[in-house]
Amino acid sequence: MRLIKNIGADRVLDQISPHLRPGARVDAASDGLSLFAFDVLASLLASAGPTRLLLSNPLASPPRVGGALAAADREADSLAGGLLGDDADRERRNGLQARGLAADLLQWLNQAAQLRLVPGKLPQSALITEAVHVDPHSADANAAGGPRGVAITGDCSLTTRGLGLAPGNQFSLIQCSETEAERQLFAQWFEATWQAVGPDSPEGPGARQKLLDQVKSLADTQAPSTIYFGVLYNLFKDLGEELDEERIIKSATGIRNTLVWRKLYKFQRDGAVGAIDKLERLGGCILADSVGLGKTFEALAVIKYYELRNDRVLVLAPKRLRENWTLYKANDRRNPLAGDRLNYDVLNHTDLSRDGGSSGDIDLAHVNWGNYDLLVIDESHNFRNKQNHRDRDSRYTRLMKQVIQAGVKTKVLMLSATPVNNRLADLKNQIAFVTEGRDDALAEHGLPSVETTVRLAQGQFNRWQQLDETERRPARLMDMLGFDYFR
């Protein structure tokens, strides 16, 4: 036996190709099969004689951790190496020839190959050939009593890595027979394994047909919508069931029995659930329904949910809207939610500029600004500009320092039909309330810098505004902004 390096001119492909002559019998045991490896061998296998193929059966392997997606994952893998290869085959996949290759492989499997699947993973791969018809006048070693073929064993699966078409594991061991006796030993091993497996392993009934179905699915024409659904799945697969009301809402709070919850329309309840989900996961949310769709009632449902958890809530509203909020917590005949006994504090935006005096029944001199678990800001776009004063803190700065950053951890729910008014950067200062002013707070979500993301988006928006009117279309703006801003 000698070792094969599987690089340069000493590849498995180079060693096996001369023995794939017309009429030669081919036996192959492999823990992987890729379309691209088959493509290289197809013409040689087509001219060779009968081929027996033993493959690992991943459908009989233990499921991966991943719940309901485990079975789908195993189906998608198809074989240990993957019908569509691995990372080394990305360029080949990008050639978009997989459908044609799958059709050729399917035809070969059905017409020219005997196929059996081994339960689990094969301990090693093997490629064994035998010249059935030998020309007695040939100068070939076979005619002189030498090897009638070749046996290659080790890390030589029917994949691009196994054949040496792509870089493999540098620690792999691949051996090649040099005598007929060595070849015969491996041929006997293959024969014994082939007979032991039988036409269809009892551990994987129908496994052969499943493999053929998987190859056929790659060969079939796919509807364009398949790509669309695939994109949607990969974009949102990590979200799981975040909007599952049963999972998000803690029923023990009794929120479903409250007046405000029962008054919500279905779309409003979805909005409230989505807001609670983001408040719990990210610490903040902007509720941006259009005027008249009931942002106030959605916010009241969120407030009641957190009150039932014994959280202290502050509502900051423009002075002209103060009564809208105080009514729902008052013992007043006009209050349709009187039975819910809402108990949040209400202050005006302008109260952030005062150190004393009264705001309704609240003495501003004694307010413990840092003790609110939930802050609700109505008309939050009023805080889109971060003003600075030399002699005093602005309302924005005081809200950030004394309410959000000080004291207990504060969740922030913002209400605005127009969170972005004049500039895309309008959003930045409102997001800062959620992130407590940390520019890298969303790094784990793929946004290393909020400041940079918004600045780049604003620059693209400015360039879009300078385009000719014929080019200044919303679709063009969406393309220019990129994905980060929307994320």
Side-chain angles (χ1 to χ4, degrees):
M1 299 292 288
R2 70 178 183 84
L3 298 182
I4 297 177
K5 296 179 180 178
N6 218 13
I7 57 174
D10 187 24
R11 304 176 301 176
V12 169
L13 178 64
D14 301 319
Q15 301 304 320
I16 196 72
S17 295
H19 297 277
L20 296 177
R21 298 192 180 98
R25 187 170 69 187
V26 182
D27 291 333
S30 176
D31 65 352
L33 172 64
S34 79
L35 298 178
F36 311 109
F38 172 77
D39 182 38
V40 175
L41 295 172
S43 60
L44 297 171
L45 291 172
S47 63
T51 300
R52 295 188 297 179
L53 193 58
L54 270 176
L55 296 175
S56 295
N57 176 14
L59 300 177
S61 61
R64 293 189 228 159
V65 176
L69 290 178
D73 286 343
R74 295 197 304 278
E75 290 283 348
D77 281 346
S78 183
L79 290 174
L83 284 169
L84 293 174
D86 54 22
D87 289 344
D89 296 305
R90 178 171 298 179
E91 185 175 347
R92 296 179 176 88
R93 286 195 295 273
N94 290 345
L96 302 181
Q97 302 298 315
R99 182 172 164 236
L101 297 178
D104 293 340
L105 175 59
L106 184 64
Q107 182 179 8
W108 181 75
L109 289 173
N110 281 321
Q111 298 179 4
Q114 298 180 58
L115 173 65
R116 293 183 182 180
L117 273 70
V118 177
K121 183 178 175 64
L122 280 164
Q124 65 179 354
S125 296
L127 301 174
I128 307 165
T129 69
E130 180 178 1
V132 178
H133 303 292
V134 179
D135 182 356
H137 302 293
S138 172
D140 188 89
N142 291 337
R148 296 177 59 83
V150 69
I152 302 175
T153 63
D155 190 7
C156 56
S157 60
L158 294 175
T159 62
T160 54
R161 293 185 190 273
L163 296 181
L165 298 169
N169 189 332
Q170 61 177 322
F171 302 112
S172 296
L173 181 64
I174 305 175
Q175 297 173 296
C176 180
S177 66
E178 294 184 290
T179 68
E180 177 62 15
E182 291 172 346
R183 191 197 68 80
Q184 283 286 352
L185 285 174
F186 287 108
Q188 292 168 11
W189 168 84
F190 184 92
E191 184 65 32
T193 306
W194 180 264
Q195 296 302 329
V197 171
D200 202 0
S201 167
E203 293 188 47
R208 179 183 186 279
Q209 187 56 47
K210 288 182 180 179
L211 170 61
L212 295 176
D213 290 343
Q214 289 167 350
V215 179
K216 185 177 184 300
S217 70
L218 292 176
D220 287 343
T221 301
Q222 302 294 329
S225 59
T226 303
I227 298 176
Y228 176 68
F229 294 139
V231 170
L232 289 181
Y233 170 74
N234 282 284
L235 282 175
F236 299 111
K237 63 181 179 181
D238 295 330
L239 295 181
E241 299 177 349
E242 287 164 4
L243 295 184
D244 179 1
E245 180 176 325
E246 292 298 325
R247 187 182 65 81
I248 295 168
I249 301 299
K250 300 185 187 308
S251 301
T253 60
I255 184 63
R256 291 188 178 89
N257 300 322
T258 61
L259 292 173
V260 64
W261 194 263
R262 293 201 294 266
K263 284 183 179 293
L264 296 180
Y265 290 104
K266 179 64 169 63
F267 78 91
Q268 294 173 325
R269 189 173 299 155
D270 289 343
V273 171
I276 292 171
D277 174 56
K278 290 174 177 61
L279 288 168
E280 290 298 307
R281 288 190 301 112
L282 303 172
C285 176
I286 298 179
L287 184 56
D289 284 343
S290 297
V291 175
L293 292 183
K295 289 189 297 296
T296 300
F297 264 68
E298 292 174 52
L300 287 168
V302 175
I303 290 171
K304 187 59 185 177
Y305 177 75
Y306 282 100
E307 284 189 354
L308 289 169
R309 296 174 59 178
N310 293 319
D311 285 349
R312 188 178 293 276
V313 182
L314 169 65
V315 174
L316 278 178
K319 191 172 185 178
R320 59 185 173 80
L321 298 179
R322 180 190 180 93
E323 188 176 352
N324 289 10
W325 291 96
T326 55
L327 175 64
Y328 292 115
K329 63 194 227 57
N331 184 21
D332 190 305
R333 291 180 180 178
R334 296 170 298 168
N335 180 9
L337 306 178
D340 280 345
R341 299 177 181 271
L342 290 157
N343 191 35
Y344 51 86
D345 291 340
V346 181
L347 292 174
N348 306 331
H349 289 181
T350 53
D351 290 336
L352 291 168
S353 303
R354 304 166 58 196
D355 293 319
S358 296
S359 181
D361 56 354
I362 298 176
D363 186 344
L364 295 176
H366 301 119
V367 171
N368 187 355
W369 293 99
N371 199 37
Y372 290 104
D373 303 288
L374 174 66
L375 169 65
V376 178
I377 307 175
D378 196 8
E379 304 286 339
S380 65
H381 54 264
N382 289 326
F383 291 92
R384 66 183 182 273
N385 296 318
K386 186 178 179 180
Q387 299 175 340
N388 292 310
H389 303 296
R390 291 184 178 180
D391 56 339
R392 57 187 172 84
D393 286 340
S394 65
R395 296 175 189 171
Y396 183 98
T397 302
R398 188 167 187 180
L399 177 58
M400 177 67 80
K401 289 182 177 180
Q402 297 190 23
V403 182
I404 296 172
Q405 294 177 336
V408 301
K409 175 67 176 177
T410 304
K411 297 178 176 66
V412 184
L413 174 63
M414 290 167 276
L415 314 180
S416 174
T418 55
V420 176
N421 273 4
N422 304 317
R423 303 171 303 132
L424 299 182
D426 289 347
L427 195 62
K428 180 185 63 177
N429 291 331
Q430 295 169 79
I431 291 176
F433 290 143
V434 176
T435 62
E436 296 187 356
R438 293 186 296 111
D439 188 51
D440 62 349
L442 302 178
E444 64 182 71
H445 302 281
L447 299 171
S449 167
V450 175
E451 170 75 32
T452 301
T453 300
V454 174
R455 176 167 48 79
L456 292 175
Q458 184 65 52
Q460 291 294 82
F461 180 74
N462 295 342
R463 281 187 281 276
W464 176 80
Q465 285 186 309
Q466 296 170 4
L467 295 175
D468 292 336
E469 187 174 352
T470 56
E471 298 183 52
R472 199 165 59 246
R473 293 288 182 267
R476 180 69 183 276
L477 176 61
M478 300 301 103
D479 291 338
M480 293 176 66
L481 287 179
F483 191 65
D484 283 355
Y485 183 78
F486 294 102
R487 183 184 301 174

